Amino acid sequence: MNRSAAGSLTVVGLGPGNPEQMTPEAAAAVAAAEDFFGYFPYLDRLSLRPDQRRHASDNREELARARAALQMAIAGGKVCVVSGGDPGVFAMAAAVCEAIEEGPSDWRDLEVLVVPGVTAMLAVAAKAGAPLGHDFCAISLSTNLKPWAIIEKRITAAAEAGFVIAFYNPVSKARPHQLSEALDLLRRHLPADVPVIFGRAAGRPNESIRILPLADATSDMADMATCIIIGSAETRLIRRGDRQPLVYSPRSYTGGKA
């Protein structure tokens, strides 16, 4: 029997990892769901009740995960698909939409809700000051779904246009060299003293925030748990003695540092 009228699918962003950074809306969505689909480490963040079930899968199985969740929801389940950070930023909301577009027509009648979360670049930016205070963009360095040539083109365009840039998925075992290439590319277009923020596990107990000039940034300072924010020529650094400096991008554009 098709019980689609009673089923629902909610895509939830859990935030960067600190339970205090999970929104009340996301917590309520988790409390209301019965079945949870997600990447193993993200599901491990949840304290599920005995009546709630988890369906864990690997991080490269996004479309298969989305389809399985939709199939359960269309059968009447109250399903939750979880992402770290925000589900709409390089995460599961897009995979669910893609699955719906390519799937059976009745999937389009399903109640689907996307609940936002604090994405990595926002968590890292808050720890550093206000580097995203003016125009910015986010670029994933992963080549799983797009070629490196496209990534290079986008990095160049963003740097030339004066955007602050957030790098997601900066390195992996399969592509350890690409962050070095990206940093070399940025040095062709940006001043050597532009601040670079390496934010690893922002908000979690093993958090590490490192701020240094572009000239000194190297690929061994990052892993897949790191989000990197590269300032623009406008971005300033306020030194505060022994305390971590504040990094900010002024709200008004002057065409370069004063």
Side-chain angles (χ1 to χ4, degrees):
M1 180 176 65
N2 188 329
R3 298 184 290 132
S4 61
S8 63
L9 188 146
T10 305
V11 192
V12 172
L14 301 181
N18 184 339
E20 295 179 356
Q21 292 177 324
M22 184 175 175
T23 70
E25 183 183 13
V30 168
E34 299 168 343
D35 288 271
F36 295 81
F37 289 78
Y39 179 39
F40 296 93
Y42 300 152
L43 289 178
D44 288 344
R45 295 183 190 177
L46 301 176
S47 298
L48 300 181
R49 304 186 304 267
D51 62 309
Q52 294 176 310
R53 297 167 292 273
R54 49 180 280 159
H55 309 269
S57 52
D58 191 66
N59 65 338
R60 291 196 180 188
E61 299 177 6
E62 291 91 347
L63 266 180
R65 180 186 308 143
R67 293 184 184 116
L70 285 160
Q71 288 168 352
M72 183 171 288
I74 204 69
K78 295 180 180 178
V79 178
C80 182
V81 177
V82 301
S83 284
D86 182 275
V89 180
F90 306 119
M92 283 304 299
V96 168
C97 289
E98 185 177 344
I100 291 173
E101 184 178 30
E102 297 175 352
S105 59
D106 59 347
W107 285 4
R108 301 187 180 211
D109 298 326
L110 187 68
E111 179 184 355
V112 176
L113 177 67
V114 178
V115 177
V118 178
T119 189
M121 67 178 178
L122 300 182
V124 172
K127 293 292 182 176
L132 307 180
H134 205 349
D135 297 342
F136 63 89
C137 68
I139 299 174
S140 172
L141 297 190
S142 173
T143 53
N144 289 339
L145 299 173
K146 64 179 182 289
W148 179 247
I150 293 294
I151 297 173
E152 288 182 311
K153 184 177 180 180
R154 292 178 178 177
I155 292 171
T156 298
E160 289 180 341
F163 285 102
V164 173
I165 306 170
F167 281 160
Y168 280 71
N169 307 313
V171 294
S172 71
K173 292 180 180 178
R175 45 183 181 82
H177 61 285
Q178 290 175 346
L179 179 57
S180 291
E181 294 180 20
L183 293 171
D184 287 342
L185 187 57
L186 288 168
R187 292 184 185 106
R188 300 176 202 168
H189 302 281
L190 295 173
D193 62 345
V194 160
V196 177
I197 306 158
F198 289 84
R200 187 183 188 284
R204 284 175 263 173
N206 58 337
E207 169 187 288
S208 172
I209 305 296
R210 188 172 184 178
I211 302 168
L212 67 164
L214 177 59
D216 297 336
T218 59
S219 62
D220 60 359
M221 298 175 180
D223 59 16
M224 281 295 283
T226 306
C227 181
I228 304 169
I229 298 178
I230 300 97
S232 71
E234 296 278 319
T235 303
R236 315 284 182 86
L237 190 144
I238 304 173
R239 300 196 181 277
R240 304 186 297 163
D242 293 336
R243 303 176 69 184
Q244 177 181 286
L246 287 173
V247 181
Y248 85 105
S249 297
R251 294 173 299 148
S252 59
Y253 181 78
T254 62
K257 290 184 179 179

